[in-house]
Amino acid sequence: MTQTKRVLLVAAAVVAGSWLLAVVFNLPTWIAALVATVVLIALAVLWKQEKAVPMAAPAPPVPRPAEREPVFTAPPTRTVAGVRLPSASPDYHFSFSAIVQWSPVMTGLRHADLGSVAVDALLSRAKALAAGQQPFEEALNQHRLAALLGEPDLDEKGQVRTWATDVRLKLPDADFKHLQNITALQRRAQTLLLERQLEQDKRAYLRDDVLATPGSAVVWWLANNPGEVAQCVDLLGTLTRLSAAANDISLEALERRWDTDLGTLALVVPELSGNDQHPDEQSQDHGENPSGQG
């Protein structure tokens, strides 16, 4: 129920009560009306005063303090550049660059310049790692050092933890070109060695296999020219000479060898004897003139 309704109900009750009192005590009507009027005026004044009093506004909620994010302080850094480091080859040195970072250890003695301690400790690690790397594996070496030097590690006295970022490891330009030239020469030498080996193998094959004897030369020629028997017969003298030349044997020595093993060489290869007559014709000539005189 609203406040207005409550006021109206009270006013109605006052008026009804006034008339009831007038009837019970046999009072004049104007007295009841006057009492009712006074009571109603008093109620109206009280009601206006209650409305004039402002209601206190609800207090706004107190804002919660904003949570502050933790502030991280970047570790101190020093940059090293152009530091020569040894490689696995004594003739080549790497050029090393990096950003050295460190954090102090809160126990024990403290050096006056922890940055120098950090740089020295990291360079010692880099030197030990680079000494085992081959100079021609430049990109691989850089990735390896970047991975290993990125792990924090204590120095010898345990004063700082050091690590490195932005690691660079490369050969000087002059050394890199020199290494490229040596590599090219080595490849050329290997190529020449293989070519010479192939040539030697081919010569040995021809001397020790194909032209080892006139017979092997004939077999080789027939294998490469199947069915050319007649032409092979015509080339017997040529193949025999090639066999003798390949084995550094004179034709006379080769003829004596064949005389011993297979009979007269001139009967097999007539052009070697300097007489192109058929063997039967030579026999007839010797039969007719055995002394050789006309």
Side-chain angles (χ1 to χ4, degrees):
M1 182 183 293
T2 62
Q3 187 175 2
T4 302
K5 290 182 179 181
R6 287 198 299 269
V7 171
L8 292 176
L9 288 175
V10 171
V14 169
V15 172
S18 300
W19 285 107
L20 182 60
L21 290 174
V23 173
V24 172
F25 294 101
N26 196 17
L27 297 174
T29 306
W30 64 271
I31 296 176
L34 180 61
V35 172
T37 302
V38 172
V39 173
L40 290 176
I41 292 172
L43 290 175
V45 172
L46 292 175
W47 182 63
K48 289 182 178 180
Q49 289 180 352
E50 290 180 356
K51 289 186 64 177
V53 176
M55 296 182 62
V62 179
R64 297 178 61 185
E67 296 182 358
R68 295 183 179 180
E69 297 183 357
V71 178
F72 296 98
T73 304
T77 62
R78 284 194 183 181
T79 301
V80 294
V83 179
R84 285 171 57 87
L85 296 180
S87 69
S89 175
D91 297 329
Y92 300 95
H93 287 76
F94 295 114
S95 177
F96 174 77
S97 302
I99 298 177
V100 182
Q101 302 184 21
W102 75 89
S103 62
V105 178
M106 303 309 295
T107 59
L109 299 176
R110 298 290 295 276
H111 193 275
D113 188 0
L114 291 180
S116 299
V117 176
V119 171
D120 180 70
L122 189 121
L123 289 180
S124 297
R125 292 172 59 193
K127 180 179 180 181
L129 293 172
Q133 308 302 316
Q134 296 296 334
F136 51 82
E137 297 177 346
E138 181 177 331
L140 182 62
N141 295 335
Q142 176 172 320
H143 289 300
R144 180 172 178 79
L145 259 69
L148 295 177
L149 296 178
E151 298 178 358
D153 194 14
L154 286 172
D155 68 305
E156 293 181 354
K157 296 183 178 181
Q159 299 180 92
V160 290
R161 285 187 176 88
T162 60
W163 64 94
T165 59
D166 198 20
V167 175
R168 296 289 183 269
L169 187 74
K170 60 176 296 184
L171 285 175
D173 293 339
D175 289 347
F176 183 74
K177 291 180 181 179
H178 181 65
L179 188 60
Q180 284 184 322
N181 292 335
I182 290 180
T183 302
L185 291 175
Q186 289 176 344
R187 291 179 178 177
R188 179 58 180 166
Q190 291 177 352
T191 301
L192 293 176
L193 182 62
L194 290 175
E195 291 176 350
R196 184 173 62 184
Q197 185 65 44
L198 290 174
E199 182 184 353
Q200 290 176 347
D201 292 344
K202 186 175 182 179
R203 286 158 50 189
Y205 166 69
L206 290 174
R207 182 186 65 246
D208 301 334
D209 192 357
V210 174
L211 300 176
T213 64
S216 62
V218 170
V219 172
W220 173 82
W221 195 92
L222 287 174
N224 288 276
N225 301 274
E228 301 292 339
V229 178
Q231 186 177 359
C232 182
V233 171
D234 295 337
L235 294 174
L236 282 176
T238 302
L239 295 174
T240 302
R241 290 188 178 92
L242 289 175
S243 177
N247 292 276
D248 294 328
I249 301 175
S250 63
L251 289 176
E252 291 76 7
L254 185 62
E255 184 177 353
R256 287 195 298 271
R257 180 186 300 177
W258 276 34
D259 284 342
T260 303
D261 299 338
L262 302 174
T264 305
L265 180 62
L267 296 178
V268 181
V269 188
E271 59 267 28
L272 292 179
S273 63
N275 190 345
D276 294 338
Q277 295 181 357
H278 193 275
D280 294 338
E281 296 178 357
Q282 293 183 7
S283 301
Q284 294 177 3
D285 292 341
H286 285 291
E288 295 176 359
N289 192 2
S291 62
Q293 298 177 356

